[in-house]
Amino acid sequence: MSQSQSGYAKHAWWKESVIYQIYPASFQDSNGDGWGDVPGITSRLDYLKSLGIDIVWVSPIYKSPQVDMGYDISDYKDIDPKYGTLGDVETLIAELGKRDMKLMMDLVVNHTSDQHSWFLDSRSSKDSQKRDWYVWKPPRVVHPDGSTEPPNNWAQILGEANSGWTYDKHTKEYYLSLFTPEQPDLNWENPDVRAAVVEIMTWWMDKGVCGFRMDVINMISKVQSFPDAEPMLGPDYKYHPGTKFFVNGPRMHEFIQQLNREVLKKYDTITVGEMPKVNDITEIIRTVGSHDKELRMIFIFDLVDIDDVPGSTRLTIHQWQPKKLKGIVTKWQRAMIEHDGWNSVFIENHDNPRSVSRYTDDSDEYRENGAKLLALMQTTLGGTLFVYQGEDIGIRNAPLSWDVSEYKDIESINFWKKCQKMYPNDTQKLEEGHKILQAKARDHARIPMQWSAEAHAGFCRSDVVPWMRVNDDYKEVNAEVQRRPARSEELSVWAFWKESLQRRKSHKDVFVYGDYQELNEADENVFAYVREGNQQGKWLVILNWTGKKSTWNIPADMVVESWEACTYNGRTAGLAKSGSLSLKPWEGLLGKCRYS
């Protein structure tokens, strides 16, 4: 099948859309409580429209005790008072519509809050009609002193030192709670649970949302024998990751197909599944293939797992080389073209540190160049593009000088408790733990958006204390200063993103739907590839993925017709169009090319 005939190259609005993820607590406070809210989002829509955004994806704003920042939902049809009201969401949808934009909701249905009415009913009695809406099991062992052991050795995902099961003293059974004790897992084996999810999704589609980001949707099916996990974390740990038994479980495809059949097929939707810990192409194509029986696309986590120690947990640091990144990008660009699937393109989200700190150099000297390099790569890759709040201005991680007490995320808190418990008197180990948080904590993505040089970066009023500390560099790194008219050819990170998004949309034949071929795979530092469309020609992308100068040779049979973009201001005019190129640290280039 030629690419022009394939489902991959078939045009669709959701493929071409640019999606901007908002972490609502940290985007914009409108009412003076130091917490971002829905009216705050609405007040910034013109900013997003100006950047080139088509869809706003809002992380959970449903009613919630906020144990895991809204990913513990107590009512799927109401809005948490911290964020506003259902009426505020309806206004947001209407205002987005006026700007030809859409709203995508975050659907969290692997688990609920332990305060959801379903769970309160379920835990009230073993005879409750909703008892089997959740996963309940008796203790594996009851000791003579009355203490108990959980049904298996699965570890908690957001705190691997703890069990993934929580004991309920009232009914004397354990319930599965893979993320935190306050987030009990729903039992998707129960058809009533699936019917309830279908009803919730239909309710929101009828409200006017365009689709869903589906939280850990590949964890909804568990191996029903609930076997012990292999002791992969070593003898110092009592509990171990049980992902083998609940990631892409035996009935996952069946369950997602039901959602597609009973809801998604009835609307013109966009869907993206969060599916961690899976990288088998055949398995992924079953979900995102053009047969269109499951989801439009998923988030593939190879890039954001690149610095995790293999076989260990997320809060670890593993050294990686540019060739690893090159291989990951090329693998999935080619896979979706060859297997008729569809990619999501992203490198930041609410669960990961800032990309400019993680993948490039966030020093004052190179932060802008690194941020532009990442923007150039993402805006020239095939798939649906996702931009995370603050990525558009190159926000970086909080500095190491911040005390651990500044970290608010439940994963960070549990990690630090583990460090203190395991190494109470080991200063070096505790310093290492602090460095891991500074490099990898989710908190960095949740620091308030840096709007201006005003107090608290314009996130909230000057007389209000924000729920989380604003990064120290906000007076220099903020949206207001980056949106000022450029002097000569100088482009801020924001202006570079805006220009790159405009180019992506005007050349969607190339950058959204086109072919992809990597050049010089053996190069240790330079990542280069050609994108080619059916009508808009060939384009060469060159990315120097190092803080050193590099030399890259344009292929002998290639001629660059014109250089169209460079991450260094004012560089395109004097660049060679054949032969050898001298690249500056973290330099990216984009040019129209042809083969002679």
Side-chain angles (χ1 to χ4, degrees), residues 90-109:
E90 291 167 349
T91 298
L92 173 60
I93 293 171
E95 289 299 320
L96 283 164
K98 291 177 184 178
R99 294 163 175 82
D100 197 27
M101 298 166 72
K102 304 176 190 292
L103 177 65
M104 183 168 74
M105 293 293 278
D106 208 320
L107 186 72
V108 188
V109 289

Side-chain angles (χ1 to χ4, degrees), residues 387-403:
V387 184
Y388 183 70
Q389 69 178 46
E391 184 181 4
D392 43 314
I393 58 172
I395 287 181
R396 54 189 154 195
N397 283 4
L400 188 60
S401 59
W402 277 24
D403 188 77

Side-chain angles (χ1 to χ4, degrees), residues 51-92:
L51 179 62
I53 301 304
D54 302 298
I55 297 173
V56 171
W57 154 30
V58 180
S59 289
I61 51 177
Y62 313 98
K63 196 170 183 179
S64 167
Q66 301 295 328
V67 171
D68 187 22
M69 294 299 292
Y71 285 87
D72 50 320
I73 297 169
S74 58
D75 190 338
Y76 290 95
K77 295 182 182 179
D78 201 1
I79 304 304
D80 196 273
K82 282 179 174 286
Y83 295 119
T85 66
L86 197 55
D88 291 331
V89 176
E90 291 167 349
T91 298
L92 173 60

